[in-house]
Amino acid sequence: MPVDVLVGLQWGDEGKGKIVDVLAPTYDVVARFQGGPNAGHTLTFDGIKHVLHQVPSGIFHPHIINVVGNGVVLDPFVFRQELQKLTDRGIDWAKNLYVSRKAQLILPSHRALDRINEEARGGSKIGSTLKGIGPTYQDKIGRTGLRVGDILLPDFQERYQEAVARHTQLAQFHGKELEIAEFEADFFSAVEFLRTLQLTDTEYLLNDLLKQGKNVLAEGAQGSMLDIDFGTYPYVTSSSTIVAGACTGLGIAPKHIEKVYGISKAYCTRVGSGPFPTELLDEVGEQIRQAGREFGSTTGRPRRCGWIDLPALRYSIMLNGVTEIHLMKADVLDEFDEIQICTHYRTADGQETDHLPDHGDLENLTPIYTSLPGWRTDLQAVTDPQALPTELKSYVQFLEQHLEVPVSIVSVGPDRVSTLHLN
C-alpha cells in the first residue's frame, strides 16, 4: 500500500493538523517525519480545540497507529505534557503510539543555547520559537547529539553531561551562562516517563506495515517556504519540510509515495523574520489577522498576514510534486468586497517574473495582483460544496488554472465538519 504525504505550501500554519485529522480515518498509520515542539497543529471537533506539538495528529482515532519518526527532534518534557493532556481528555494513546529510537533529544541546554544564539543576532534575528530546535539539529548534523535510544543505555547520564559541557563552552563564547539547573529535574523525570513508551526502530515498523498492506499518511510540520534548503534562507527552520524529508525522516523509499497533499491558506501568513512579498502592513492585514485568529498556536505571536502568493505556491508545488491542493480558511475572507491574488512579481530592475528569486532579491519585489470579486457570504453556514458562492468557485478555478493542480478540499471553518470535499 502507498504512503501519502501532507505538506504545507507556505510558511507554515496552513492548517495541516486539521486536514490530517479529517483524512486520518482512511489510513492505518499517521507518521510525523520532521520538526519538533516549534510546530503547533490545531484540531477542532465536538466544539473542543486541541493543539498538538509533537504527537501525530491521528492520535484521536484509536484504530490508527501513530509514529514519531527519526526526523523529529523530541523534547521529553513537552511530550509528556502533551500526552498528559490527551489522557485528561480520555484519549488512550498508550497502545498505538510509537517513537523512533533514532529521533534526536532536545535537552534543556539546547533551549538555553537557542535563546543565547538569537539574542546574539541582534537586529538580524531569525525569529526562532526558542524551543531548542536549531541547536538540536546542529548537534545532529555535527554528530554530537543524543537520540531517544540513548536513554536506554547505562551511560546516558555521562553522555548528557558531556553534551552540557559542550553547550557550556558555546554559551561562554557569547559571554553567557546556560542557567539550566532549574529545568534538569523536570527533564530527567520526563526521560523516565519516555522510557515507559514504545520506543522502537520505526523504519522497520513502517516498512513492515507497508508489506502488510497498510497505508500511511506522512505528516509534515512547518511549510515548504521554511525548508532548510529551498525556503527563504536563512529565515527558515532547521529541517527538510518538503516531501523528500518524509523519506529521510521516516526511513521509507520514494517508490512508496503516491499522493502529495499540498496545504495552503486562501491568503498567506508568516511568523518571525524574513521576506514576505505580499505582506499587508495596513488595516487589511489586521482585518485578516483578527478574522483568522492569526496568533501562533505554539508561541502566541501575532502572525504577519498578506494576500495569497502564486509564484511562491508554484515553487512549492514543483518541489513537492503536489497532486492536490487543500485550500484552508476561506471563511476568513468572507467580509472582503475584493480578493487580491499575487500572480507575478516585479523585480527591482522593472522585470516581471513568476519565479521565486533567491532570498536576497525577495526583499525588493513588488507583487503584481489580479483582483477577483469577494463572496460576501458566511461560509461557515455552508455544508454542501454545491452551495458555495459563485465568487468562491471562481476563485478556486482561478487558482487551479494558474497552479495547474486541482483543489480537492475547501475548509470553511475550524471544526472538523467544516471541510468541503470538491471531488
Side-chain angles (χ1 to χ4, degrees):
M1 293 293 285
V3 176
D4 296 335
V5 185
L6 182 141
V7 293
L9 297 181
Q10 298 166 308
W11 281 279
D13 309 308
E14 300 95 348
K16 297 180 292 297
K18 175 185 177 179
I19 292 298
V20 174
D21 179 62
V22 169
L23 297 177
T26 64
Y27 289 88
D28 302 300
V29 183
V30 172
R32 172 79 178 272
F33 64 83
Q34 49 76 225
N38 54 337
H41 288 180
T42 302
L43 303 81
T44 303
F45 51 89
D46 299 331
I48 301 174
K49 178 180 176 181
H50 306 267
V51 180
L52 300 175
H53 300 282
Q54 300 170 109
V55 176
S57 298
I59 199 67
F60 298 100
H61 302 273
H63 73 282
I64 294 175
I65 295 172
N66 288 266
V67 175
V68 177
N70 57 276
V72 172
V73 289
L74 192 72
D75 185 321
F77 179 69
V78 175
F79 200 52
R80 181 177 62 176
Q81 283 185 320
E82 278 189 81
L83 294 177
Q84 183 58 56
K85 288 181 181 179
L86 291 172
T87 299
D88 294 343
R89 291 179 173 178
I91 306 300
D92 183 8
W93 47 263
K95 293 181 180 179
N96 64 336
L97 178 64
Y98 294 84
V99 179
S100 172
R101 286 193 261 210
K102 294 180 175 63
Q104 294 280 319
L105 285 173
I106 300 175
L107 310 181
S109 49
H110 285 133
R111 295 172 68 102
L113 279 179
D114 204 355
R115 182 174 297 279
I116 290 169
N117 291 339
E118 189 76 340
E119 289 174 352
R121 289 179 176 272
S124 302
K125 287 182 170 59
I126 293 293
S128 170
T129 57
L130 307 180
K131 303 296 182 181
I133 309 299
T136 305
Y137 277 114
Q138 283 178 311
D139 277 2
K140 176 178 180 176
I141 298 304
R143 297 164 293 182
T144 59
L146 296 179
R147 305 201 289 188
V148 168
D150 292 334
I151 69 175
L152 304 175
L153 300 177
D155 64 343
F156 173 69
Q157 183 74 33
E158 296 173 23
R159 292 170 183 247
Y160 172 84
Q161 294 300 338
E162 289 173 1
V164 171
R166 287 194 301 272
H167 297 159
T168 298
Q169 289 181 325
L170 290 172
Q172 289 173 345
F173 174 80
H174 292 288
K176 303 287 186 178
E177 299 292 332
L178 280 181
E179 299 179 350
I180 61 171
E182 63 181 299
F183 305 110
E184 288 186 312
D186 285 338
F187 172 77
F188 282 107
S189 174
V191 165
E192 287 299 321
F193 169 79
L194 192 58
R195 290 187 176 115
T196 68
L197 305 186
Q198 298 185 92
L199 312 181
T200 188
D201 295 320
T202 53
E203 64 273 28
Y204 278 110
L205 171 66
L206 288 168
N207 281 283
D208 287 344
L209 290 168
L210 289 171
K211 286 181 181 178
Q212 294 169 26
K214 307 295 185 183
N215 60 348
V216 176
L217 179 60
E219 176 184 14
Q222 288 87 38
S224 299
M225 298 304 296
L226 293 176
D227 183 83
I228 185 64
D229 287 298
F230 297 105
T232 49
Y233 191 89
Y235 302 99
V236 294
T237 192
S238 301
S239 58
S240 180
T241 62
I242 61 176
V243 165
C247 296
T248 57
L250 296 175
I252 56 172
K255 69 177 182 179
H256 293 300
I257 294 176
E258 189 170 279
K259 295 179 182 178
V260 178
Y261 305 116
I263 316 302
S264 169
K265 286 176 179 169
Y267 50 99
C268 203
T269 64
R270 159 158 219 173
V271 174
S273 306
F276 184 1
T278 65
E279 183 173 13
L280 297 169
L281 299 173
D282 56 13
E283 66 276 6
V284 176
E286 184 60 28
Q287 184 178 350
I288 293 174
R289 181 180 298 112
Q290 294 301 327
R293 296 180 292 279
E294 292 295 354
F295 300 90
S297 55
T298 296
T299 64
R301 291 184 297 180
R303 296 177 184 138
R304 301 156 64 190
C305 296
W307 296 116
I308 198 166
D309 184 333
L310 298 196
L313 280 178
R314 277 192 290 266
Y315 183 67
S316 295
I317 287 167
M318 174 188 72
L319 294 174
N320 289 291
V322 172
T323 59
E324 57 187 84
I325 295 170
H326 297 173
L327 190 67
M328 311 301 292
K329 304 187 81 167
D331 56 298
V332 172
L333 303 181
D334 283 354
E335 298 300 318
F336 288 93
D337 293 320
E338 290 187 330
I339 309 297
Q340 303 295 325
I341 302 174
C342 173
T343 59
H344 297 76
Y345 304 131
R346 183 169 286 110
T347 61
D349 60 2
Q351 299 297 310
E352 193 173 303
T353 181
D354 62 357
H355 281 203
L356 192 74
D358 188 55
H359 80 280
D361 299 318
L362 276 169
E363 302 283 4
N364 301 309
L365 294 177
T366 301
I368 299 174
Y369 290 110
T370 292
S371 179
L372 294 182
W375 38 89
R376 299 290 296 179
T377 301
D378 180 7
L379 291 182
Q380 293 196 37
V382 179
T383 58
D384 180 359
Q386 298 304 316
L388 288 171
T390 300
E391 294 83 359
L392 176 55
K393 291 179 180 178
S394 297
Y395 180 79
V396 169
Q397 290 168 359
F398 186 94
L399 297 183
E400 291 179 325
Q401 177 185 354
H402 285 261
L403 298 175
E404 300 180 327
V405 178
V407 175
S408 60
I409 284 178
V410 175
S411 176
V412 296
D415 198 274
R416 182 188 282 171
V417 298
S418 302
T419 311
L420 305 184
H421 298 259
L422 303 188
N423 48 51

